[in-house]
Amino acid sequence: MLHTVNKSPYEKGSLDTCLRLAKQGSTILLIEDAVYAAITGSSLESKIRQASKQYEFCVLGPDLKARGLDEAKLIDSIRVVDYGGFVDLAVSHDRVQSWL
Amino acid sequence: MLEVNGKILETDDEGYIENMDDWSPEIAERMAANDDCELTDNHWEVIKLMRNYYEEYKISPTVRVLTREIRKTLGADKGNSRYLYALFPYGPIKQAGKYAGLPKPSTCV
Amino acid sequence: MCINRRAPYGTIYALEGLEVVLMGAAFEQDISVVYLDDGVYQLKKGQDTTDSSIKNFSPTYRALASYGVEKLYVETESMEDRGLSEHDLIVPVKMISGAELTELMEQQDVILNY
């Protein structure tokens, strides 16, 4: 299953709940305000690094760029995808679940 | 707009009254008369059931749900859509619901 | 499956989630409904909006059974975090753990989140 998360982890529990309930081996794509979770040096970094052992993390590049976030500062286990990559992820997984 | 016993009630363009607490049986009679429909006891059973269902759940039933509720309380002879459409040819939920003073149902099913 | 994670009234999510379930039921879909995180507050007994001029849609959860929606699940952890128990809820539900929910989600054809 592909999970998308679009809320800032500092404002909403969407990412927390996704991490709590997504099955091991799932892919988690951070989009919109959830891209703030992908950056190093935050209070969340160790949590995301820990979760990276169980899940494949991706982040939507255009949403990082829009927010002035530098790809060089991404947590290294997170892969950047563009819109085409988002589509590829959606079709390569049997289902998509959007955590709002 | 609907005038019943000298009182004027606001309705929407399809004839639903705005506040279900303003409802009275006379209002149902008047709406039915406007549709050239004369209300019998059979009509009233359904109108009352629609009102009770809405009071209980704050939502209109679908035809399927209404049919099932009627089958439970009034029996299988009446708990079928042919019977309900014969009574309310404009659609039992819309027509009986309107006569019952309920808001316009949000769904079309 | 429809997953509800928001409290009622503060946002439109709860009402939208309820409507989509009723709509699906009207089209005879086999629907499971999950209440999770603040979504469990949607089922809290005793909601009364008379002083706040918004429609109290909590009685409509009781209509789900008459619409043929019988698979209602509530996550135990969300309930415990909020000090709620089954007696606080307006409808009968099945309590499941997060781990059970993970497995249940894997069995679904479609999952909608609200």
Side-chain angles (χ1 to χ4, degrees):
Chain A
M1 183 137 44
L2 171 66
H3 297 265
T4 66
V5 182
N6 76 338
K7 295 291 187 298
S8 163
Y10 305 106
E11 190 197 357
K12 300 273 186 206
S14 312
L15 179 61
D16 269 338
T17 301
C18 172
L19 295 178
R20 189 156 63 81
L21 296 174
K23 198 173 171 74
Q24 207 165 356
S26 301
T27 303
I28 299 173
L29 171 64
L30 306 172
I31 60 173
E32 300 170 30
D33 286 349
V35 301
Y36 291 115
I39 297 299
T40 52
S42 77
S43 57
L44 276 171
E45 181 177 348
S46 64
K47 184 172 186 166
I48 301 293
R49 282 192 189 282
Q50 196 60 34
S52 296
K53 294 173 188 164
Q54 288 188 56
Y55 306 114
E56 186 199 354
F57 277 95
C58 299
V59 63
L60 193 63
D63 287 346
L64 282 173
K65 192 175 166 191
R67 288 163 181 75
L69 301 178
D70 188 352
E71 280 190 28
K73 289 193 176 158
L74 280 188
I75 297 171
D76 50 22
S77 54
I78 302 181
R79 180 161 68 90
V80 181
V81 297
D82 58 11
Y83 287 117
F86 189 167
V87 174
D88 290 339
L89 283 172
V91 296
S92 64
H93 290 78
D94 52 351
R95 283 156 303 151
V96 181
Q97 180 172 183
S98 318
W99 297 93
L100 304 174
Chain B
M1 207 181 75
L2 205 65
E3 194 184 332
V4 179
N5 298 336
K7 210 182 146 201
I8 289 178
L9 284 161
E10 290 300 322
T11 62
D12 69 10
D13 4 325
E14 290 177 69
Y16 289 85
I17 60 168
E18 306 224 305
N19 185 350
M20 69 179 285
D21 297 330
D22 293 339
W23 183 85
S24 66
E26 292 75 29
I27 289 172
E29 301 276 8
R30 168 55 57 87
M31 287 175 168
N34 289 347
D35 292 339
D36 289 325
C37 165
E38 195 177 328
L39 296 181
T40 63
D41 288 349
N42 288 339
H43 289 93
W44 279 111
E45 284 177 340
V46 179
I47 292 170
K48 282 179 183 149
L49 206 138
M50 286 290 289
R51 251 188 107 74
N52 289 343
Y53 190 95
Y54 195 94
E55 296 267 343
E56 175 83 9
Y57 300 122
K58 307 299 175 203
I59 186 183
S60 294
T62 60
V63 178
R64 173 176 294 271
V65 171
L66 177 67
T67 306
R68 203 155 43 204
E69 293 291 312
I70 290 181
R71 205 181 302 135
K72 269 195 281 184
T73 50
L74 305 173
D77 289 351
K78 296 178 174 177
N80 62 78
S81 56
R82 188 181 310 172
Y83 171 83
L84 291 171
Y85 274 94
L87 282 179
F88 298 102
Y90 299 114
I93 302 304
K94 287 179 85 169
Q95 198 177 353
K98 184 164 85 173
Y99 296 172
L102 308 185
K104 188 176 165 214
S106 52
T107 63
C108 50
V109 282
Chain C
M1 171 180 279
C2 180
I3 299 181
N4 297 276
R5 294 183 44 248
R6 294 275 149 78
Y9 312 119
T11 61
I12 197 71
Y13 286 98
L15 182 56
E16 291 279 312
L18 178 58
E19 288 195 339
V20 84
V21 168
L22 290 168
M23 193 80 76
F27 284 98
E28 292 174 66
Q29 299 300 301
D30 176 16
I31 304 181
S32 302
V33 193
V34 177
Y35 297 91
L36 175 68
D37 294 344
D38 279 354
V40 300
Y41 287 132
Q42 294 180 27
L43 302 183
K44 176 75 178 64
K45 264 184 199 161
Q47 297 174 38
D48 181 351
T49 59
T50 42
D51 296 337
S52 37
S53 73
I54 35 179
K55 181 176 166 177
N56 176 5
F57 52 89
S58 69
T60 306
Y61 293 98
R62 288 191 281 106
L64 287 172
S66 73
Y67 269 68
V69 179
E70 274 153 4
K71 288 182 268 186
L72 302 184
Y73 301 94
V74 167
E75 193 212 27
T76 313
E77 290 89 327
S78 302
M79 291 285 280
E80 283 171 358
D81 284 348
R82 289 161 182 78
L84 294 171
S85 77
E86 264 184 276
H87 308 290
D88 296 309
L89 304 183
I90 198 168
V91 282
V93 297
K94 184 158 192 258
M95 302 282 283
I96 57 170
S97 68
E100 288 171 304
L101 178 53
T102 297
E103 293 308 319
L104 200 58
M105 290 191 310
E106 291 296 318
Q107 296 163 20
Q108 306 300 317
D109 294 330
V110 177
I111 301 178
L112 300 174
N113 284 253
Y114 285 93

